[in-house]
Structures are given as structure tokens and as C-alpha cells.
Amino acid sequence: MTERFSFSLLATDGKARLGVISTPRGEIRTPAFMPVGTAGTVKAMMPESVRATGADILLGNTYHLMLRPTAERIDRLGGLHRFMNWDRPILTDSGGFQVMSLSDLRKLTEDGVTFRSHVDGSRHFLGPERSMEIQRLLGSDIVMCFDECPALPADEARVAESMRLSMRWAARSRDAFGDRPGHALFGIQQGGVTHDLRAESAEALRAIGFDGYALGGLAVGEGQEAMFGVLDFAPDMLPADRPRYLMGVGKPDDIVGAVRRGVDMMDCVLPSRSGRTGQAFTRRGVVNIKNARHQDDPRPLDEACTCPACRNYSRAYLHHVFRAKEIISSMLLTWHNLRYFQDIMQGMREAIAAGEFAAWQAGFEAARAEGDIEPL
Ligand SMILES: [Zn+2]
């Protein structure tokens, strides 16, 4: 087991990259999808089940954990890994994005953000130094810089101002993070959909120097076409020998399109959140299990899937427990969705290794175009 954080690029196919991140808590195979464990749990899943889906790393949310149960309490209890019983790598976000999207009465200054908790209305402050402190108390393996990003569409002046503030905060984050062997700090490129702002941001981050680089400010309302438009040039602005992380993405076709454009890591609540609302992602597209067409259907959700929901249960059962609001409905559909997302990642990793990414993507798209199996 390594003592340091490192990234090895093993193969490329076009712009798609196969690699491995080594950390003292284990290896992360890339391209990697990170399930989101918002408040110290991937909802409806035991940690060993999350691991069984093929996840090498989880994401934890600084904003939620700082408010409840607080970073100081988690630290006293041995850190987030021990607290939530997940001994593999954890990446934490900086809290910046969620402060802006979830909290009340925000006040943004050069120093940071003052806000009221959405949980109990209490008053808090978050800036680069405090974000680094919280992520250290949590024991995060991959720490994200504190940043700010406007929802899109936004006018270019607002995007530029926000990006430059985030770059000043990136330098403060780097200083506050210090030297912590075995832990990584990632910078976050901003700049909206504008080429020159993305280039300016990448240059600022490279001058500071980070262990990895994220593409921020995407998947915030711009749509897939605009996002892919940015991903056609933005990843190339970041150092090739460091991991590239696209934050908050996405749907299966977003993920495949991002990997094709050179992204190594992604995270999204979609597979777990959708699992709780009766939506399943399959090789042949999205299935709404609440639809009455499934109520007499003895077939599995996805013939090709080896998850417990598909191996042991029928569509009729999954439909019934969703309608009856049974907890097992969320458990089974979340497991299936997380497994499907990890199967996509595994498929892409094998395809890149074999130099067959384009053929793999064509097969992925053809299966989706077929649509769900015909009703009985
Ligand atoms: Zn399944």
C-alpha cells in the first residue's frame, strides 16, 4: 500500500483515459464514478453493499456534515471513515456549491460566505480556511478547494468575477491545506462556457499547483450540448498527468460523453436519488417501475444485470413494493442503479484498455435506442 497520493495513466484511446489513483486507503480505478454519501450514508445502502456495486471511492458533503453532526464531533469520534464504516477513499466537496444552493440568507464577501443553516436557522461562516479545516477534521482523502460558481446561464461579467474570486480562494485553500502526505487537494477550474475564462482559470490553477483538477461550474443548467461543448476544450487545458474530475455529472450518456472527452472522475446523486423515486437506469434506457405495465411482469428489470434486484426479484415485485412504499423498494432500486453506473465505468475501462472505446460507445447507444423490453 502506498503512503502517498499518486495518479498513473495506463492507456488512452482517443481522448479517453484509463488510469489508477493510489492512496493509502486503496486504489481508485479511473474512469471512476463516485456515489454520493451526502450525510455520512449513501441513502438506502450499507457501505459493504456500495462496495459490492464496484465503487472504489465515495463522496461526502462538507456543507451537510458541518451542520449535522458537525466536523468537530466526527473528528472526536475517529473521523468520517470510521464514523460511517467506509475504510476506502473519500472525497469531500468544499461546501461552497451547497451553501449557495441550499442555505438561507447568504452573504458573500472576499473572505467567504456567511449563511443560515437550512436545518435549524443557525448562523455559520465558510471560507477557504474553514473549509480546509472541516475537510481535515472529516479525514477526507481528496479535499476540494473552496470555490463559488453562478448558475448558468449567467452573463459573462458575472462568470468572470466569480471565477477570479474562486482563483484567489484556490490560492488560500492551497496555503491552508499545507503539506499532508497521503491526502490530495484538487483545484477547481471555473469560467462557465467561455473558452478564454476557462483558459485563464486553468493557468491560475497550474501556477498554484494541485494534486488533481476538477471541472466546476458545469451541470448547473446549461444543458448537455453546452456542457459537451466546454468539455471539447476545457480538460485539455489541465495537466495530463493529474486526474480530472467533472463535478456533479451525471446521466449515463453524460458520463460516457465526458469520459470520451478526457474526464477521469465523476459523482452524482442521480442513481441513488432516482432509486428512491422508482426510476431505474438500464442498458435499454430508463424504466419507471411505478408504471402499471410492470404489475404482472415476472421478468427482471435488466436481464444482463447481476445485482440482487435483478437476480432475485421480478418487475412485478419491484412495482408492488414501490407502490406499497416499502423501504426495500429504495434499497433494491438504489443498488441496481449504482451497479449499473459501475458497470458502465467497468465497460469503459475495459474498452479503453483494448483500444475499442468507439465500438463500446456505439453498442451503449444502440442498446439505449432499442428502448425498454416490450410489455408482456
Ligand atoms: Zn440490476
Side-chain angles (χ1 to χ4, degrees), residues 283 301-302 305-311 332 335-337 339-340:
R283 281 152 189 80
L301 192 52
D302 188 336
C305 180
T306 58
C307 89
C310 295
R311 255 197 349 253
L332 290 173
W335 192 317
H336 166 80
N337 283 342
R339 179 52 180 268
Y340 175 59

mmCIF file of all heavy atoms in Angstrom, residues 283 301-302 305-311 332 335-337 339-340, ligand 1:
data_model
loop_
_atom_site.group_PDB
_atom_site.id
_atom_site.type_symbol
_atom_site.label_atom_id
_atom_site.label_comp_id
_atom_site.label_asym_id
_atom_site.label_seq_id
_atom_site.Cartn_x
_atom_site.Cartn_y
_atom_site.Cartn_z
ATOM 1 N N ARG A 283 -29.618 -0.898 -19.350
ATOM 2 C CA ARG A 283 -28.915 -0.850 -20.643
ATOM 3 C C ARG A 283 -29.820 -0.334 -21.746
ATOM 4 O O ARG A 283 -29.353 0.225 -22.720
ATOM 5 C CB ARG A 283 -28.404 -2.250 -20.988
ATOM 6 C CG ARG A 283 -27.142 -2.600 -20.248
ATOM 7 C CD ARG A 283 -26.956 -4.080 -20.013
ATOM 8 N NE ARG A 283 -25.819 -4.272 -19.113
ATOM 9 C CZ ARG A 283 -25.887 -4.120 -17.791
ATOM 10 N NH1 ARG A 283 -27.016 -3.787 -17.198
ATOM 11 N NH2 ARG A 283 -24.813 -4.264 -17.041
ATOM 12 N N LEU A 301 -35.681 -6.625 -14.037
ATOM 13 C CA LEU A 301 -35.527 -5.255 -14.518
ATOM 14 C C LEU A 301 -34.599 -5.218 -15.730
ATOM 15 O O LEU A 301 -34.898 -4.604 -16.742
ATOM 16 C CB LEU A 301 -34.935 -4.440 -13.356
ATOM 17 C CG LEU A 301 -34.892 -2.947 -13.383
ATOM 18 C CD1 LEU A 301 -36.268 -2.377 -13.686
ATOM 19 C CD2 LEU A 301 -34.406 -2.463 -12.017
ATOM 20 N N ASP A 302 -33.440 -5.867 -15.606
ATOM 21 C CA ASP A 302 -32.435 -5.862 -16.665
ATOM 22 C C ASP A 302 -31.804 -7.253 -16.716
ATOM 23 O O ASP A 302 -31.114 -7.656 -15.783
ATOM 24 C CB ASP A 302 -31.384 -4.784 -16.354
ATOM 25 C CG ASP A 302 -30.407 -4.566 -17.503
ATOM 26 O OD1 ASP A 302 -30.217 -5.500 -18.321
ATOM 27 O OD2 ASP A 302 -29.822 -3.471 -17.582
ATOM 28 N N CYS A 305 -28.085 -7.691 -15.918
ATOM 29 C CA CYS A 305 -27.528 -7.161 -14.663
ATOM 30 C C CYS A 305 -27.457 -8.269 -13.608
ATOM 31 O O CYS A 305 -28.365 -9.092 -13.494
ATOM 32 C CB CYS A 305 -28.389 -6.014 -14.168
ATOM 33 S SG CYS A 305 -27.794 -5.271 -12.633
ATOM 34 N N THR A 306 -26.378 -8.254 -12.825
ATOM 35 C CA THR A 306 -26.189 -9.299 -11.807
ATOM 36 C C THR A 306 -26.450 -8.775 -10.391
ATOM 37 O O THR A 306 -26.091 -9.420 -9.419
ATOM 38 C CB THR A 306 -24.757 -9.866 -11.868
ATOM 39 O OG1 THR A 306 -23.838 -8.786 -11.665
ATOM 40 C CG2 THR A 306 -24.481 -10.523 -13.209
ATOM 41 N N CYS A 307 -27.091 -7.615 -10.265
ATOM 42 C CA CYS A 307 -27.355 -7.071 -8.921
ATOM 43 C C CYS A 307 -28.487 -7.867 -8.248
ATOM 44 O O CYS A 307 -29.248 -8.560 -8.930
ATOM 45 C CB CYS A 307 -27.696 -5.586 -9.014
ATOM 46 S SG CYS A 307 -29.450 -5.250 -9.261
ATOM 47 N N PRO A 308 -28.621 -7.770 -6.927
ATOM 48 C CA PRO A 308 -29.667 -8.529 -6.222
ATOM 49 C C PRO A 308 -31.078 -8.204 -6.720
ATOM 50 O O PRO A 308 -31.928 -9.091 -6.785
ATOM 51 C CB PRO A 308 -29.502 -8.102 -4.762
ATOM 52 C CG PRO A 308 -28.109 -7.616 -4.659
ATOM 53 C CD PRO A 308 -27.750 -7.031 -5.996
ATOM 54 N N ALA A 309 -31.344 -6.965 -7.092
ATOM 55 C CA ALA A 309 -32.685 -6.603 -7.566
ATOM 56 C C ALA A 309 -33.026 -7.348 -8.848
ATOM 57 O O ALA A 309 -34.179 -7.759 -9.053
ATOM 58 C CB ALA A 309 -32.770 -5.093 -7.794
ATOM 59 N N CYS A 310 -32.042 -7.525 -9.709
ATOM 60 C CA CYS A 310 -32.291 -8.196 -10.999
ATOM 61 C C CYS A 310 -32.170 -9.709 -10.904
ATOM 62 O O CYS A 310 -32.839 -10.433 -11.642
ATOM 63 C CB CYS A 310 -31.316 -7.667 -12.051
ATOM 64 S SG CYS A 310 -31.577 -5.929 -12.428
ATOM 65 N N ARG A 311 -31.312 -10.198 -10.013
ATOM 66 C CA ARG A 311 -31.122 -11.647 -9.870
ATOM 67 C C ARG A 311 -32.298 -12.304 -9.149
ATOM 68 O O ARG A 311 -32.697 -13.406 -9.471
ATOM 69 C CB ARG A 311 -29.849 -11.918 -9.077
ATOM 70 C CG ARG A 311 -28.701 -12.400 -9.921
ATOM 71 C CD ARG A 311 -27.601 -13.039 -9.084
ATOM 72 N NE ARG A 311 -27.717 -12.854 -7.653
ATOM 73 C CZ ARG A 311 -26.942 -12.032 -6.935
ATOM 74 N NH1 ARG A 311 -26.023 -11.309 -7.528
ATOM 75 N NH2 ARG A 311 -27.095 -11.934 -5.639
ATOM 76 N N LEU A 332 -33.473 -1.787 -3.176
ATOM 77 C CA LEU A 332 -33.212 -2.581 -4.388
ATOM 78 C C LEU A 332 -32.934 -1.697 -5.606
ATOM 79 O O LEU A 332 -32.012 -1.957 -6.378
ATOM 80 C CB LEU A 332 -34.395 -3.514 -4.669
ATOM 81 C CG LEU A 332 -34.559 -4.676 -3.682
ATOM 82 C CD1 LEU A 332 -35.863 -5.426 -3.959
ATOM 83 C CD2 LEU A 332 -33.369 -5.632 -3.739
ATOM 84 N N TRP A 335 -29.526 -0.011 -5.253
ATOM 85 C CA TRP A 335 -28.459 -0.988 -5.525
ATOM 86 C C TRP A 335 -28.327 -1.204 -7.030
ATOM 87 O O TRP A 335 -27.246 -1.153 -7.598
ATOM 88 C CB TRP A 335 -28.755 -2.316 -4.813
ATOM 89 C CG TRP A 335 -27.595 -3.272 -4.805
ATOM 90 C CD1 TRP A 335 -26.754 -3.573 -5.834
ATOM 91 C CD2 TRP A 335 -27.136 -4.043 -3.686
ATOM 92 N NE1 TRP A 335 -25.817 -4.481 -5.440
ATOM 93 C CE2 TRP A 335 -26.019 -4.800 -4.127
ATOM 94 C CE3 TRP A 335 -27.574 -4.197 -2.357
ATOM 95 C CZ2 TRP A 335 -25.338 -5.678 -3.286
ATOM 96 C CZ3 TRP A 335 -26.877 -5.079 -1.534
ATOM 97 C CH2 TRP A 335 -25.779 -5.799 -1.996
ATOM 98 N N HIS A 336 -29.465 -1.452 -7.681
ATOM 99 C CA HIS A 336 -29.416 -1.678 -9.125
ATOM 100 C C HIS A 336 -28.788 -0.482 -9.851
ATOM 101 O O HIS A 336 -27.903 -0.650 -10.699
ATOM 102 C CB HIS A 336 -30.803 -1.951 -9.711
ATOM 103 C CG HIS A 336 -30.788 -1.851 -11.197
ATOM 104 N ND1 HIS A 336 -30.323 -2.879 -11.999
ATOM 105 C CD2 HIS A 336 -31.073 -0.817 -12.033
ATOM 106 C CE1 HIS A 336 -30.330 -2.476 -13.255
ATOM 107 N NE2 HIS A 336 -30.786 -1.243 -13.309
ATOM 108 N N ASN A 337 -29.278 0.710 -9.556
ATOM 109 C CA ASN A 337 -28.770 1.889 -10.270
ATOM 110 C C ASN A 337 -27.275 2.086 -10.055
ATOM 111 O O ASN A 337 -26.531 2.388 -10.996
ATOM 112 C CB ASN A 337 -29.535 3.145 -9.837
ATOM 113 C CG ASN A 337 -30.903 3.235 -10.482
ATOM 114 O OD1 ASN A 337 -31.177 2.570 -11.488
ATOM 115 N ND2 ASN A 337 -31.777 4.053 -9.912
ATOM 116 N N ARG A 339 -25.134 -0.194 -9.313
ATOM 117 C CA ARG A 339 -24.443 -1.264 -10.023
ATOM 118 C C ARG A 339 -24.384 -0.970 -11.522
ATOM 119 O O ARG A 339 -23.348 -1.161 -12.168
ATOM 120 C CB ARG A 339 -25.153 -2.608 -9.772
ATOM 121 C CG ARG A 339 -24.521 -3.779 -10.488
ATOM 122 C CD ARG A 339 -23.005 -3.832 -10.182
ATOM 123 N NE ARG A 339 -22.396 -4.942 -10.850
ATOM 124 C CZ ARG A 339 -22.251 -6.149 -10.290
ATOM 125 N NH1 ARG A 339 -22.669 -6.377 -9.061
ATOM 126 N NH2 ARG A 339 -21.682 -7.108 -10.962
ATOM 127 N N TYR A 340 -25.476 -0.462 -12.057
ATOM 128 C CA TYR A 340 -25.483 -0.152 -13.489
ATOM 129 C C TYR A 340 -24.440 0.930 -13.812
ATOM 130 O O TYR A 340 -23.690 0.817 -14.788
ATOM 131 C CB TYR A 340 -26.878 0.284 -13.950
ATOM 132 C CG TYR A 340 -26.868 0.725 -15.395
ATOM 133 C CD1 TYR A 340 -26.465 -0.149 -16.403
ATOM 134 C CD2 TYR A 340 -27.208 2.035 -15.744
ATOM 135 C CE1 TYR A 340 -26.412 0.264 -17.725
ATOM 136 C CE2 TYR A 340 -27.163 2.450 -17.065
ATOM 137 C CZ TYR A 340 -26.755 1.564 -18.061
ATOM 138 O OH TYR A 340 -26.684 1.977 -19.356
HETATM 139 ZN ZN ZN B 1 -29.769 -4.825 -11.547
#
